[in-house]
Structures are given as C-alpha cells and as structure tokens.
Amino acid sequence: MRLYKECLHCGKELEGRTDKKFCDPQCKSSFQYQKEKNRPERFYNKVDNQLKLNRKILKEYNKGGKVIVRADILLKLGFDPNFFTHYWKNQKEDVYLFVYEYGFLKRKEKDKEKYILIIWQEYMQKDSKV
C-alpha cells in the first residue's frame, strides 16, 4: 500500500518504492527550500544577516581608510545603523560604532546626514567596548 500517491512538490504520480514522497531529487530539494523559506526566520538569523549586509556596505564604501558618505546612500542599500558589534570612543568623546572592523559615526553637515567611515586600528583595542 502506497503512503503517497503524488509527489509532494509537483503533484506528479509516484512510481517505485511505496514510501516514496518525491518524484526526483530536484522536487525534494525545491520542497525543502520552500518549506524553509515560508518558516518564520529566527531572530539571530535576522541579526546575523543585517550585520553581514552592514559590513558589506561599509567595506564597499570605505576603500580609503577614512571616508565621508551621505547617509541616504547607505540607507537605500539596506544599511541599518542599529546593528553593530562594538564601539570605540575617541579623545573628543565621539562614539564610533563598528560592524566588525568597519566603523561609522553619524554627523550632520549643512543639513545633510552623513557617516564618517573608518577602519579598525590596533591603537583602538585598549579603548573599545563590546
């Protein structure tokens, strides 16, 4: 007696073993992919994905070590300043937020929001906060 008459993914009639659920490996893979895609994402996955995206964006725009970029450019790409890994406070009391080795500081210049982007340096180690 067959447990499933049709493929759980595409609906094609099944042949072969009686406990078979899918007609081929591609249908099985597609079914599992859709199942995971529809499942609510776990919180740490959302955080990890946002941190990865933030790092990628900061890396792309900070080729020179210290760069100033308009905030709207980064935000349009999906950058979220609320996700960071640690921070560093300089002698002027400016607090740079870091996503791994790439840091940013929000500034307002001439009524425009901007980010000062920097790269982590060894001398920052003693003053950093997690």
Side-chain angles (χ1 to χ4, degrees):
M1 181 172 172
R2 182 170 287 287
L3 297 174
Y4 300 96
K5 293 183 179 185
E6 298 172 345
C7 174
L8 294 178
H9 181 66
C10 71
K12 193 187 304 182
E13 188 175 337
L14 294 174
E15 297 176 9
R17 293 185 1 227
T18 57
D19 62 342
K20 196 172 182 181
K21 296 179 183 179
F22 304 98
C23 57
D24 59 34
Q26 290 79 19
C27 273
K28 182 177 180 179
S29 178
S30 294
F31 181 83
Q32 295 298 334
Y33 175 77
Q34 288 301 322
K35 186 174 152 185
E36 283 299 311
K37 188 176 168 188
N38 293 332
R39 207 175 95 186
E41 199 171 8
R42 292 186 285 244
F43 177 73
Y44 68 85
N45 287 350
K46 289 180 181 180
V47 171
D48 189 47
N49 289 339
Q50 187 61 55
L51 286 171
K52 287 177 183 176
L53 179 61
N54 281 359
R55 182 184 181 276
K56 179 181 173 186
I57 292 168
L58 292 174
K59 182 180 180 183
E60 179 66 30
Y61 279 86
N62 192 352
K63 303 272 188 207
K66 184 175 182 182
V67 180
I68 299 175
V69 181
R70 286 195 336 257
D72 63 324
I73 293 173
L74 301 182
L75 296 173
K76 282 180 190 173
L77 295 171
F79 180 76
D80 186 340
N82 297 312
F83 289 82
F84 56 92
T85 56
H86 60 286
Y87 67 90
W88 172 73
K89 189 185 295 188
N90 67 10
Q91 293 173 345
K92 297 177 187 176
E93 301 293 313
D94 294 326
V95 177
Y96 285 85
L97 304 176
F98 277 83
V99 181
Y100 304 107
E101 72 272 34
Y102 297 99
F104 61 96
L105 172 67
K106 193 171 189 175
R107 283 276 188 237
K108 193 167 190 168
E109 293 179 6
K110 300 178 185 176
D111 294 328
K112 297 223 187 245
E113 296 284 336
K114 297 181 180 184
Y115 286 112
I116 300 171
L117 308 182
I118 62 172
I119 297 177
W120 183 261
Q121 303 295 317
E122 277 301 314
Y123 69 86
M124 298 173 180
Q125 182 66 38
K126 64 181 173 135
D127 301 327
S128 74
K129 308 288 185 229
V130 179

